[in-house]
Amino acid sequence: SAVISQKPSRDICQRGTSLTIQCQVDSQVTMMFWYRQQPGQSLTLIATANQGSEATYESGFVIDKFPISRPNLTFSTLTVSNMSPEDSSIYLCSVGDRDTGELFFGEGSRLTVL
Amino acid sequence: LAKTTQPISMDSYEGQEVNITCSHNNIATNDYITWYQQFPSQGPRFIIQGYKTKVTNEVASLFIPADRKSSTLSLPRVSLSDTAVYYCLVPSWGNTGKLIFGQGTTLQVKP
């Protein structure tokens, strides 16, 4: 299993600003993912955070808007840039265990953009 | 990645058995079937995973027919605390390991 800590747990931000969300895992993991969950909706995969290389983004998500860092096997950050009210969501970090097939999630970062 | 289809919502009463069926017609030979549970204001939590026939753990049972084109999550004697969204997924770990979530099934357990 993996324990994932996300910071901040919630924040209220002004339109046009940027916020960086941190994800810390208690063990080294190969696969790390960032998801977004808008109110009342399912989870949407934003990108795969690759250690030592650029993140792999899903359709509809771009690096300029959601820059991701993955400096080592236990840590990643997601930045939501130039925020608008449409970016109000819960952002979740997750890591995968290829041996068991499980995906572990953090508690999420609830972002409200005014 | 295999696409999954499941009911959007279900209602049940405390003490009843709940069965949620998911279809995954284009599941690949090496794919497993995985179910997650999400409570409000929490990240999803792994419940159970199976490849064929039946798998049971302390939380649920998973029934998978021989053709593996569908699966049924069975929750025995649900309580109010089982009210959550349940997601059926078919991860393709051989490729990228990423999971694509469908709509999920919102289960509402009533007293």
Side-chain angles (χ1 to χ4, degrees), chain B residues 62-99:
Chain B
L62 180 60
F63 298 92
I64 305 167
D67 65 6
R68 304 199 329 117
K69 294 184 182 300
S70 67
S71 59
T72 298
L73 176 73
S74 181
L75 304 172
R77 300 180 59 80
V78 295
S79 64
L80 295 176
S81 62
D82 291 315
T83 293
V85 180
Y86 293 83
Y87 296 97
C88 164
L89 299 103
V90 179
S92 295
W93 292 101
N95 293 328
T96 63
K98 62 185 180 183
L99 288 183

Side-chain angles (χ1 to χ4, degrees), chain A residues 67-86:
Chain A
I68 289 171
S69 78
R70 179 92 191 270
N72 56 52
L73 292 176
T74 64
F75 186 78
S76 177
T77 66
L78 168 75
T79 299
V80 186
S81 303
N82 188 23
M83 289 183 285
S84 67
E86 292 71 33

